[in-house]
Amino acid sequence: MNHQKIVVLDFGSQYTQVIARRIRECSVYSEILPFDTSASSLKKMGVCGIILSGGPASVLSKGSPRPDPKIFTLGVPVLGICYGLQLMGKMLGGKVVSSARREYGLGKLSFSKNSSRLLAGLDSPQQVWNSHGDKIEKLPDGFKAVGTTENSDFAVVEDTKRNFYGMQFHPEVVHTPRGMDIIRNFLRNICGCTGDWTMANYIDRAVEEIRAKVGDKKVILGLSGGVDSSVAAALIHKAVGDQLTCVFVDNGLLRKDERVHVENLFKNNFKMRMKTVRAEKLFLSKLSGVTNPERKRKIIGKTFIEVFDKAVKSIGQVDFLAQGTLYPDVIESVPIKGNPASLIKSHHNVGGLPKKMKLKLLEPLRELFKDEVRALGKELGLSKEVLWRHPFPGPGLGVRVVGDITKKRLDILREADAVLMEEMRSSGLYYNVWQAFAVFLPVKTVGVMGDERTYDNVIALRIVESQDAMTADWANIPHAVLAKISNRIINEVKGVNRVCLDISSKPPATIEWE
């Protein structure tokens, strides 16, 4: 799609995706590319500006990652952030040294008013977030310092003649409160971006592209009821109507009434062609006696492919397989020494089905981040209930029943989970947390109900707050709400006599139990 484009060259920073998202929040399209992308490739793309991300390496180390030096001859603005600034300093003739006093955490940025287009509209001092051990000691020719922190005379630098800018702190993180204004200043005042990246524009262009690609052929999409597949279905249906068929596999591992909700929304409300496959018995027979979480996942994934493949064949000639692949799923990060987190991602959407089924891929959301997918879904008429549903794992309740999976255990968990969801919604807390769910534990405990002793099952509640699921903290839910949830589960769900609350953070625990 032809938008004004800013490229973020990735040097392995944990914040690289955050930079790209902040740019898009300013209605400017951004792409993340490997740090060694050639200047000629960037020129062909017609980029409006380049941002050099931070990274874990030191520019003083032998073999530390470097961009193509020719990016500095393209005539487009370049902004270096943290490691990116030190790279610019060193590569353009300045001097970088290892700082005697490292700066991590909050800092205070001081500058003169109207000293730089980058800092336009900001008052000094500003709170910023630092995370670096090296610093610039001598600037390259043509540069001047326009902002300082306690430990750096060169916290913000610029060469206005060549349009090169750098900052030693991270403007993209929330701990730099006016960081978005700095990024916006770079995009608008320096790169000349007008802000043509909107969801309304995206829908018009995506519909045209889908129609051009699909022609009069048929498209199949595996519908899960989750945000990504729901938005992908709505967008493709807008483009090609009845050429799209959605397949919904009821594997018996879904939440209470999930099949009914999905059919009502897509079949009855959106009037989409939809095929429901009821395969509970098949999945449960293959999972019988399996307790290892990884084996469960593999069995569920393999069985899903078999069932889906059979469903597609029953529909007739199909040419395209649609998937709700998002941009974070397809970003290829070059592995950077000392930063194993930067390896290329493998994701359930990127591969698996296509090779076996000999279908062409249709991935209309692959340019989008999750928040953009929700904005797109809203434009397409999907409800808040669909767009802000809590994440649900691919293997479903199969990884929320700890130990052996049986229909009885699944039914108990479904009922307990439904109570939790009802109370989270009625208390107004559902949309304030990242995820809430119940877990069935394979232990029984003694209880007393009326005058009788019971020996029944335990349900654990997991309610967490998070920004992106990389880290998570348990949510501080009011005791009165927890008491109501516990009382209702024990009184209404036959087979449960004890409810526990999981108060572990990630790390060291994960969000899901298995």
Side-chain angles (χ1 to χ4, degrees), residues 164-210:
F164 295 160
Y165 296 80
M167 58 191 80
Q168 190 58 82
F169 56 90
H170 288 273
E172 69 274 19
V173 300
V174 292
H175 306 298
T176 303
R178 298 291 299 274
M180 273 292 285
D181 294 304
I182 297 172
I183 292 170
R184 191 178 290 107
N185 283 340
F186 177 70
L187 301 174
R188 300 288 172 89
N189 300 349
I190 295 163
C191 298
C193 296
T194 55
D196 64 350
W197 173 251
T198 65
M199 282 305 110
N201 285 348
Y202 183 83
I203 289 172
D204 292 342
R205 290 173 181 173
V207 163
E208 281 177 29
E209 282 196 358
I210 292 166

Side-chain angles (χ1 to χ4, degrees), residues 272-284:
M272 291 187 194
R273 285 178 181 260
M274 185 173 166
K275 182 179 178 67
T276 300
V277 183
R278 303 181 70 165
E280 179 184 48
K281 285 183 181 175
L282 174 64
F283 276 86
L284 293 190

Side-chain angles (χ1 to χ4, degrees), residues 220-392:
I220 197 89
L221 182 143
L223 198 56
S224 70
V227 178
D228 305 339
S229 69
S230 297
V231 175
L235 180 60
I236 296 165
H237 186 255
K238 183 178 176 70
V240 297
D242 283 350
Q243 288 169 246
L244 168 70
T245 302
C246 295
V247 174
F248 180 76
V249 176
D250 184 348
N251 57 11
L253 306 170
L254 305 174
R255 288 168 285 202
K256 187 179 179 181
D257 297 330
E258 180 78 3
R259 176 172 47 80
V260 176
H261 290 316
V262 171
E263 287 180 337
N264 278 342
L265 177 64
F266 293 97
K267 209 176 200 173
N268 303 333
N269 186 25
F270 278 99
K271 308 296 181 192
M272 291 187 194
R273 285 178 181 260
M274 185 173 166
K275 182 179 178 67
T276 300
V277 183
R278 303 181 70 165
E280 179 184 48
K281 285 183 181 175
L282 174 64
F283 276 86
L284 293 190
S285 67
K286 295 203 172 190
L287 288 165
S288 178
V290 178
T291 58
N292 179 279
E294 203 48 42
R295 275 200 67 212
K296 284 182 188 177
R297 288 175 183 275
K298 283 180 179 167
I299 290 167
I300 293 165
K302 186 168 181 284
T303 308
F304 175 83
I305 290 172
E306 290 168 6
V307 171
F308 190 80
D309 190 23
K310 194 174 175 184
V312 173
K313 284 174 181 166
S314 72
I315 290 167
Q317 179 61 38
V318 174
D319 294 272
F320 288 91
L321 170 70
Q323 293 186 333
T325 311
L326 305 193
Y327 191 45
D329 305 329
V330 297
I331 296 168
E332 292 194 2
S333 298
V334 175
I336 292 171
K337 196 174 178 184
N339 188 25
S342 288
L343 294 172
I344 294 172
K345 291 187 168 206
S346 66
H347 189 269
H348 66 279
N349 271 342
V350 188
L353 291 170
K355 282 182 187 173
K356 179 180 173 61
M357 299 169 68
K358 299 186 176 70
L359 297 174
K360 296 172 193 166
L361 266 184
L362 184 63
E363 298 173 308
L365 310 181
R366 68 182 284 123
E367 291 185 351
L368 305 181
F369 286 105
K370 191 78 167 192
D371 51 339
E372 294 172 318
V373 170
R374 289 194 170 105
L376 174 62
K378 190 176 178 184
E379 286 271 343
L380 290 166
L382 288 168
S383 68
K384 183 180 181 182
E385 287 71 28
V386 174
L387 297 175
W388 289 95
R389 289 188 80 178
H390 290 180
F392 190 63

